[in-house]
Amino acid sequence: MAIRKIREVGDEVLEKQCKKVDKMTIRTKILIQDMLDTMYDAMGVGLAAPQVGILKQIVTIDVGEGPIVLINPEIIESDGTQTGEEGCLSLPGKYGIVTRPSHVKVRALNEEMEEVIWEGEGLLARAFCHEIDHLSGQMYMRLAEDGIHDNVEEV
């Protein structure tokens, strides 16, 4: 499909509440495929629709176990804690230390608009929380425990 431009911090679209998706349309199917293509091209593990300028409650995630598409997702259970580095495609080259639940259960719709329940631990739980936050205009920087840092690659 197409690689879309990823919006970066400072773009107002990242601070807005997204609208629920009421029905699957051809435009929404194209958006989802474009989001997956964009996420993979940027070597990310997750992408939310506002990151490509679309105010819809759609998230794509792949932590190495295949793509997950969540429409109108909501966290219905969480427990435990994990603290670790978190980054974002909308804040390239940066990271922060963030505490998230270590286990999360999410209710959402799939691409057929059928209800699905996903459970995740570790990185998947972190990705669920991070991407779902985007849908309400929240970014991980507000949770960073010791500020935002530059990624420094070792040679």
Side-chain angles (χ1 to χ4, degrees), residues 2 4 19 25 28-29 32 35 46 48 54-55 57-58 60 69-70 80 90 92 101 103 113 116 136 138 141-142:
R4 297 198 183 200
K19 294 177 175 56
T25 64
T28 302
K29 287 182 182 195
I32 290 167
M35 286 175 61
I54 306 296
L55 290 173
Q57 292 187 18
I58 302 173
T60 58
V69 175
L70 303 173
S90 291
H103 173 262
M113 300 300 282
V116 292
S136 60
Q138 303 295 318
M141 295 104 59
R142 79 191 198 308

Side-chain angles (χ1 to χ4, degrees), residues 104-123:
V104 172
K105 186 183 277 190
V106 175
R107 178 175 39 233
L109 299 175
N110 64 17
E111 291 174 90
E112 284 76 44
M113 300 300 282
E114 301 164 333
E115 185 175 295
V116 292
I117 302 289
W118 283 90
E119 286 193 65
E121 296 185 348
L123 179 59

Side-chain angles (χ1 to χ4, degrees), residues 91-103:
L91 191 63
K94 307 282 187 186
Y95 75 94
I97 303 298
V98 177
T99 298
R100 299 272 192 187
S102 57
H103 173 262

